[in-house]
Amino acid sequence: MKEAMFWQSKEDGLVFCELCPKGCSIREGHKGFCRVRENRGGILYTLNYGQVSSYALDPMEKKPLYHFYPDTLILSLGTVGCNLRCGFCQNWQIAHGEPQTLDLSPRQAVDLAKQQRDKGLPCSGIAYTYSEPFMWYEYIYDTARLAQQAGLKNVLVTNGYVRQEPLQKILPYIDAMNIDVKGFTDKYYKDNCLGHLAPVIKTVETAYKECHVEITTLLVPGLNDSEEEVQELVDWLAGLDPDMPVHFSRYFPNYQFDLPPTPEATLQRAYQLAKRKLHYVYLGNLGDAGSQNTNCPKCGELMIRREGYRTEVTGLKEKACRHCGNPIRMVL
């Protein structure tokens, strides 16, 4: 437990949390929506500091990040808690449950990542993932600064539901983000995630100017997969940066949702729509190897071949296409 960042005292012992757009007013002895920030004696504390629920040495492509240190590994850490309540959550056991955790200090986390490099493994850094990393803010802020000093990269895999002040404070220590844009209507966010779309849009628009950003959208049949909604998402992203990699992921029943899996044809339609305006579009949870490869947007030659998490960089010369010399958005 540690005193939280980004909160204010209010009258009658209340505290107002200013970390995320929920803006919880929390009474003495109570927790915010995320379940990991609690008012004790008029002070807001974070309850999950150093508490790790999940850890693994993952392929970078699992995050998914396809244009950031491809074919490397990254130490991946998760905790508990979340500030959205998505009915289709794939990690609900740690986001909304009470999993067992182990203690891992920021220094221990950095040392663990460095040990992987010392073993000769291509470990590029630390990913804060599995659960919502912004609900682990204080721990990540401390760990990311140490990791940067040690020459490690820091990655957030996030729902992007955070206020601008904490986002801008941590961005100097973050090298890459995969941001979930759950859907592209506020109604979808309200009905299925108990949140709002606008803060996520703002997070993307802020973050992509400061670090490498890739977008993931889970297409849920009948809820956020219409051609009109996908087109609006694509138009917005193309207006920001047509080189921003985008991942459309296939939904499978989980947590509170029992809808059938997303039809493959739905993902293929989204892929074709997006490719008209975006240079790098990928399909996830589909098993279609062709939609995971990276091709040069100018000449079409294969640059990176992917089969599951097996990655082979074949057509890159530094950060350009080996065949035509076209510059490629890629962090190596």
Side-chain angles (χ1 to χ4, degrees):
M1 188 174 71
K2 183 175 182 178
E3 182 174 340
M5 301 167 67
F6 303 106
W7 61 277
Q8 288 187 16
S9 297
K10 300 181 71 175
E11 295 179 356
D12 301 323
L14 289 172
V15 299
F16 179 67
C17 182
E18 297 179 315
L19 177 59
C20 93
K22 291 287 186 187
C24 296
S25 290
I26 307 171
R27 291 179 293 159
E28 162 68 32
H30 287 71
K31 300 170 186 165
F33 182 91
C34 64
R35 303 185 303 123
V36 293
R37 296 165 80 79
E38 182 176 359
N39 179 351
R40 294 190 179 183
I43 298 173
L44 187 64
Y45 288 93
T46 176
L47 305 180
N48 59 352
Y49 189 93
Q51 298 301 299
V52 174
S53 65
S54 308
Y55 60 92
L57 191 62
D58 283 337
M60 188 69 75
E61 287 75 15
K62 192 175 180 180
K63 299 304 98 188
L65 288 171
Y66 279 14
H67 288 239
F68 184 80
Y69 291 94
D71 198 24
T72 65
L73 301 172
I74 190 160
L75 177 65
S76 300
L77 305 176
T79 186
V80 297
C82 189
N83 58 345
L84 293 180
R85 194 67 51 82
C86 302
F88 45 81
C89 182
Q90 299 174 53
N91 290 318
W92 61 269
Q93 294 94 336
I94 61 174
H96 309 302
E98 299 292 342
Q100 290 186 333
T101 61
L102 57 84
D103 293 328
L104 192 72
S105 71
R107 174 57 64 188
Q108 289 172 323
V110 171
D111 287 346
L112 186 57
K114 289 167 61 180
Q115 287 169 15
Q116 311 314 307
R117 292 195 312 191
D118 294 343
K119 293 176 183 177
L121 296 172
C123 180
S124 54
I126 303 175
Y128 312 93
T129 178
Y130 306 133
S131 58
E132 174 47 48
F134 281 117
M135 298 303 97
W136 210 12
Y137 189 95
E138 293 77 9
Y139 178 77
I140 293 175
Y141 184 74
D142 291 347
T143 307
R145 288 182 295 165
L146 290 176
Q148 188 181 81
Q149 293 169 9
L152 298 168
K153 304 303 179 184
N154 291 297
V155 168
L156 299 181
V157 181
T158 174
N159 62 29
Y161 209 60
V162 66
R163 293 186 178 218
Q164 286 293 294
E165 183 182 355
L167 174 63
Q168 291 174 350
K169 186 176 181 65
I170 205 169
L171 271 174
Y173 308 103
I174 302 302
D175 299 282
M177 298 172 68
N178 185 292
I179 304 174
D180 277 340
V181 179
K182 307 288 185 179
F184 211 63
T185 67
D186 198 58
K187 176 176 171 52
Y188 181 81
Y189 266 87
K190 288 191 292 185
D191 291 351
N192 301 290
C193 305
L194 302 186
H196 294 280
L197 172 61
V200 181
I201 288 178
K202 186 64 174 175
T203 294
V204 174
E205 292 176 343
T206 299
Y208 96 97
K209 299 175 184 177
E210 304 296 332
C211 69
H212 178 78
V213 170
E214 302 191 22
I215 302 298
T216 294
T217 297
L218 183 76
L219 293 180
V220 183
L223 296 181
N224 69 341
D225 63 342
S226 70
E227 291 191 14
E228 293 77 13
E229 186 169 340
V230 171
Q231 188 66 65
E232 289 182 7
L233 170 65
V234 168
D235 290 345
W236 167 62
L237 291 172
L240 289 178
D241 187 348
D243 279 341
M244 191 182 302
V246 177
H247 306 258
F248 291 113
S249 191
R250 190 183 190 191
Y251 150 89
F252 287 94
N254 214 327
Y255 193 33
Q256 299 169 336
F257 271 32
D258 59 2
L259 294 168
T262 315
E264 293 186 22
T266 299
L267 282 101
Q268 294 293 347
R269 281 198 302 271
Y271 181 86
Q272 295 301 327
L273 275 175
K275 287 291 285 183
R276 295 174 187 172
K277 292 190 173 183
L278 302 173
H279 294 152
Y280 307 109
V281 183
Y282 304 101
L283 299 182
N285 292 341
L286 191 58
D288 177 9
S291 62
Q292 294 179 331
N293 293 336
T294 299
N295 296 86
C296 176
K298 183 177 180 180
C299 72
E301 289 290 336
L302 178 67
M303 295 184 296
I304 303 178
R305 177 184 288 108
R306 300 182 184 88
E307 295 182 13
Y309 298 129
R310 294 193 300 273
T311 301
E312 183 182 6
V313 180
T314 61
L316 275 177
K317 185 177 182 180
E318 296 179 347
K319 296 183 182 181
C321 174
R322 185 182 298 276
H323 301 275
C324 71
N326 182 52
I328 304 299
R329 172 71 65 82
M330 190 72 62
V331 181
L332 301 172

